[in-house]
Amino acid sequence: SAVGRGPEVPFSSEAYGISAVSRGKELRLRLAPLAPGGEPQDLVFRFGMSGSFRLCPADQLPRHAHLRFLTRESPPRALCFVDVRRFGSWRLGDTWQPDRGPCVMTEYQAFRENVLKNLDDKAFDKPICEALLNQKFFNGIGNYLRAEILYRLKIPPFEKARTVLEALKDQDQARKKQNPSLTLSKKLKLMRENPDLLELCHTVPMEVIAAEKKLLDPDHADNYAAFKNWLQCYLVPGMSSLRDHNGRTVWFQVGVWGVSSHTGQTPRKKCARLKADPEALTPKVTTHASKRHPRAAAKPPKSEEKEEEEEEAADGPRKGRARGRRKGTTTPTLSEPEAPVKVKRSRRTSARKGRGEASSP
């Protein structure tokens, strides 16, 4: 497509097959010619927030179909990479991004070892809710998954990541000493009966993929309703949400943990970062940006936009828009008196009196 951000794909074949394999938040496609002697072409995709593949008639292409694989049948069809928000991308070649760790689903044991042997890394100085989005260690965990994982274990989202994970390291060592000959089936049974944080990083996304009704299949009209019924914390009415230090929305249950004691910041600052949710009874926060653009402020936000550009950064804080947004100030909350205007007027009045000028009535 003319507006697509990815590179041109130099591939053409009379007949070819498409196969796919995923790793964390990446997907690799291989285009393999069926005729002997043809060279295959590999592409690695990142989906951002809204990227997906869709098979449709070639004369009924969906909007934002940025890459299309056409069939030779009559009438022809197109396999389209559709990305409304254009945060997704693709690149040529078969290599995964080097700064992403083992996949939480397909490489669980390597993923677990990668986390526990690197707890001295500065990434674990951050709150556990922020560390869970670091793709160097948690490749495949996104915003809704971190909320569901922390909620199930009742882990305070702003607890220091190293504090939470060091206990698992000691637990693993104790298990090896007590049961050095545990079979794989017994290990899986223990994981299901009493899962820890790293085990839930594997089993919770597997619930979504292995569900009898495909929760995230865009071809099913009721898939989003099924997905919302599966959620226990993320976007659930009655839950609370705050912005973390990277500008991403964290969903959690306040009554269980007392979040303000773990944030390291005053409750007022955190309240100012609350994101309005049309389904929850939370106070509305008005920003300077919304004053400049009242029409945009009046439009209720879509639930999917709460994650912001999560895929724009695989590791660490984002640059540009997110940093500017964090520095932006908010207007006082309703509990604060609106006194600054009156103070300024009284100063001008006293200044006139000092110069002998008559004050206006």
Side-chain angles (χ1 to χ4, degrees):
S1 128
V3 297
R5 296 179 178 178
E8 293 286 341
V9 181
F11 179 83
S12 179
S13 177
E14 290 296 321
Y16 63 97
I18 302 178
S19 59
V21 61
S22 65
R23 183 176 187 266
K25 290 191 174 184
E26 293 182 290
L27 180 78
R28 182 171 64 206
L29 294 187
R30 167 157 287 191
L31 314 179
L34 300 183
E39 289 293 328
Q41 173 68 61
D42 292 299
L43 305 170
V44 176
F45 287 81
R46 290 174 61 193
F47 290 87
M49 288 180 60
S50 59
S52 66
F53 280 98
R54 194 173 306 171
L55 186 63
C56 60
D59 59 353
Q60 299 177 25
L61 293 177
R63 294 184 63 190
H64 309 286
H66 300 304
L67 192 62
R68 305 127 188 197
F69 303 95
L70 302 175
T71 70
R72 294 294 299 272
E73 60 191 335
S74 183
R77 290 185 295 171
L79 177 66
C80 306
F81 176 63
V82 182
D83 187 14
V84 176
R85 303 185 71 180
R86 292 197 289 177
F87 293 154
S89 62
W90 66 87
R91 64 184 186 279
L92 304 178
D94 62 352
T95 57
W96 307 110
Q97 279 190 315
D99 57 347
R100 290 178 179 259
C103 176
V104 297
M105 292 178 291
T106 61
E107 303 168 296
Y108 169 69
Q109 197 57 44
F111 148 70
R112 187 180 185 94
E113 292 173 0
N114 184 48
V115 172
L116 295 182
K117 75 180 182 181
N118 289 294
L119 290 181
D120 292 335
D121 193 285
K122 63 181 181 180
F124 299 105
D125 293 335
K126 297 183 177 182
I128 185 63
C129 66
E130 296 181 12
L132 281 173
L133 295 188
N134 187 330
Q135 302 300 294
K136 181 179 179 181
F137 297 104
F138 296 90
N139 186 12
I141 300 299
N143 209 9
Y144 83 91
L145 287 172
R146 72 167 171 180
E148 297 301 308
I149 291 166
L150 294 176
Y151 172 80
R152 293 189 186 192
L153 293 176
K154 299 297 183 283
I155 294 176
F158 295 97
E159 185 72 68
K160 190 175 182 179
R162 187 176 293 107
T163 303
V164 175
L165 294 167
E166 277 180 344
L168 304 187
K169 189 174 184 180
D170 297 337
Q171 178 181 307
D172 274 11
Q173 293 174 351
R175 282 182 181 177
K176 290 179 181 179
K177 290 180 181 179
Q178 294 174 1
N179 303 295
S181 59
L182 273 181
T183 63
L184 179 60
S185 61
K186 289 183 178 180
K187 289 180 180 179
L188 293 174
K189 183 179 179 181
L190 286 174
M191 181 190 299
R192 289 191 297 267
E193 292 175 350
N194 190 26
D196 60 33
L197 175 68
L198 297 181
E199 289 165 347
L200 282 188
C201 287
H202 170 73
T203 58
V204 172
M206 290 299 292
E207 286 180 18
V208 181
I209 293 174
E212 187 172 334
K213 175 175 283 189
K214 302 302 181 184
L215 297 180
L216 300 180
D217 187 348
D219 291 334
H220 286 82
D222 61 344
N223 77 304
Y224 187 62
F227 179 60
K228 288 190 71 174
N229 290 334
W230 175 84
L231 293 171
Q232 299 179 34
C233 178
Y234 182 77
L235 298 178
V236 173
M239 297 295 167
S240 299
S241 61
L242 296 175
R243 294 280 194 173
D244 64 18
H245 291 91
N246 295 328
R248 300 164 185 167
T249 305
V250 187
W251 287 82
F252 57 92
Q253 187 178 24
V254 169
V256 177
W257 307 311
V259 170
S260 60
S261 62
H262 297 284
T263 59
Q265 299 188 19
T266 63
R268 184 180 301 278
K269 288 183 179 179
K270 279 296 178 183
C271 287
R273 291 183 180 182
L274 280 170
K275 186 116 177 185
D277 178 16
E279 297 179 356
L281 299 178
T282 54
K284 182 178 180 181
V285 176
T286 305
T287 63
H288 289 307
S290 63
K291 282 187 174 184
R292 290 194 299 270
H293 305 284
R295 183 177 300 175
K299 184 179 180 181
K302 296 181 180 179
S303 59
E304 290 85 358
E305 293 179 355
K306 293 180 183 296
E307 292 185 16
E308 296 300 325
E309 302 94 350
E310 176 189 322
E311 267 294 318
E312 286 295 285
D315 180 18
R318 294 174 295 162
K319 298 180 181 180
R321 293 175 55 190
R323 185 174 297 171
R325 182 166 56 250
R326 288 200 304 275
K327 290 182 179 180
T329 58
T330 58
T331 57
T333 59
L334 296 178
S335 60
E336 297 180 1
E338 298 182 359
V341 176
K342 294 182 180 179
V343 172
K344 290 182 180 179
R345 288 177 179 171
S346 63
R347 287 178 180 172
R348 287 199 297 269
T349 302
S350 59
R352 293 193 191 99
K353 290 180 178 180
R355 293 196 301 269
E357 299 177 10
S359 59
S360 58

